[in-house]
Amino acid sequence: MEPIVTTKVQGHINDFARQKVYIHLETTNGAYASHFNEEFFSAGAYIRNAKVCYQHGKIIGDGPYRVGLKLDIGWIYAEGLTHFEIDNAGRLLMAGHDFDGKLAVALEISPKPFE
């Protein structure tokens, strides 16, 4: 993955707009670390292979970045994104890494279901 360049990412977001795509969205603040400290409050969210068609999307911010995808009935939103790539399967993969380099958020858009 490479650091986000907003013009590149915006172009890829535009490429997927108004098509049926699959979304992977994941957040964590260390859900797997709570066993080291019982007082640590962990939270996270995970959705995989949500089939959507978004009207348009937008990346904003000065870094870390926010991406919103406007659906007919609402929004998909991810904040804290720092890196992206288009993989060999043509999927737009975006991730946000914390100051230790650990994954904090992922938003991925694919023309085919994720395995």
Side-chain angles (χ1 to χ4, degrees):
M1 297 191 110
E2 64 183 85
I4 284 179
V5 176
T6 56
T7 54
K8 286 184 181 181
V9 173
Q10 185 64 61
H12 296 306
I13 291 169
N14 294 347
D15 290 342
F16 285 108
R18 297 170 302 282
Q19 300 179 45
K20 290 181 181 176
V21 295
Y22 296 87
I23 299 292
H24 172 85
L25 177 61
E26 177 177 358
T27 66
T28 181
N29 70 346
Y32 304 108
S34 60
H35 65 280
F36 292 117
N37 180 353
E38 293 178 5
E39 295 179 5
F40 180 79
F41 179 80
S42 65
Y46 181 88
I47 186 168
R48 189 166 183 87
N49 287 325
K51 189 175 184 180
V52 302
C53 181
Y54 60 90
Q55 298 168 5
H56 65 273
K58 184 79 174 165
I59 183 167
I60 62 171
D62 296 321
Y65 300 92
R66 295 174 297 283
V67 169
L69 306 175
K70 176 65 173 107
L71 308 175
D72 288 337
I73 59 170
W75 286 86
I76 295 172
Y77 178 83
E79 184 171 357
L81 299 166
T82 58
H83 292 79
F84 85 103
E85 74 174 300
I86 295 292
D87 72 1
N88 291 338
R91 305 177 295 196
L92 173 57
L93 310 178
M94 296 169 282
H97 300 274
D98 67 14
F99 299 113
D100 295 324
K102 296 177 184 168
L103 180 67
V105 61
L107 175 59
E108 302 174 349
I109 305 171
S110 174
K112 296 180 181 177
F114 293 93
E115 293 181 16

